Amino acid sequence: MIRKEEVYKIGRLGKAHGVKGEVSFMFDDDVFDRVDADYLVLDVDGILVPFFIEEYRFRSDSTALVKFEDVDTQERARELTNCDVYFPLALTDDDSEVISLAVLVGFSIVDAQTGAVVGSIADIDDSTANILFELSDGRLIPAADEFISQIDKDKRQISMRLPEGLLEL
């Protein structure tokens, strides 16, 4: 069984396209193309299910048409409409210096000076030029490079040197 801790959200399926089982896929992260993945994980009625990719083609830099194995009709593709799409953390490129923001959801923020856990990242607000980590308690912390000391993927922690008084706002 696939657990939420083993995957991260990269997008959502849209409407069925055509009559042969293709479905539109709106994505925030093209990791499935960069690492040549064989499958994506879909949230089908609360259960994470792997779906093997037969083929896909990009329509834009944030949309693709995907054909999954054993999804051969428009009706079957319609059943997948609005499913969230996840990617396995185990398949991400560990050698890459580029880390997708979506991967960081669930990471703990640790104060680099005291070692104290500040909180856990519940969401990432990238709607403006100033990206923010939204903690599970609702606090917002700037995701600025100058504040980040270290990212430990194995421990799922981000060490940050936060300006004095920021956490009291």
Side-chain angles (χ1 to χ4, degrees), residues 108-119 141 145-151 157-163 167:
S108 295
I109 302 287
V110 176
D111 186 319
Q113 294 162 327
T114 65
V117 175
V118 174
I141 295 179
D145 288 339
E146 61 264 21
F147 296 153
I148 298 173
S149 303
Q150 179 185 14
I151 299 175
Q157 286 184 342
I158 302 173
S159 293
M160 297 186 77
R161 292 192 173 275
L162 300 172
L167 297 176

Side-chain angles (χ1 to χ4, degrees), residues 16-79:
H17 181 81
V19 295
K20 297 186 179 185
E22 278 187 319
V23 63
S24 64
F25 171 35
M26 289 77 62
F27 55 89
D28 300 321
D29 187 341
D30 67 349
V31 66
F32 65 97
D33 186 53
R34 291 193 317 265
V35 299
D36 198 27
D38 293 330
Y39 67 96
L40 296 173
V41 178
L42 305 184
D43 184 339
V44 181
D45 298 326
I47 300 170
L48 297 177
V49 181
F51 277 77
F52 287 86
I53 302 169
E54 195 170 293
E55 63 182 6
Y56 64 89
R57 63 184 190 271
F58 290 99
R59 295 196 68 175
S60 71
D61 61 348
S62 63
T63 308
L65 293 176
V66 180
K67 169 73 175 74
F68 293 110
E69 288 181 9
D70 300 324
V71 178
D72 298 321
T73 65
Q74 186 179 34
E75 292 75 29
R76 180 68 179 112
R78 262 194 224 125
E79 293 172 7

Side-chain angles (χ1 to χ4, degrees), residues 75-116:
E75 292 75 29
R76 180 68 179 112
R78 262 194 224 125
E79 293 172 7
L80 302 177
T81 299
N82 293 325
C83 285
D84 286 334
V85 180
Y86 295 85
F87 194 79
L89 285 167
L91 297 181
T92 57
D93 186 4
D94 288 335
D95 297 332
S96 175
E97 289 296 315
V98 178
I99 295 179
S100 168
L101 289 174
V103 172
L104 301 177
V105 172
F107 275 47
S108 295
I109 302 287
V110 176
D111 186 319
Q113 294 162 327
T114 65

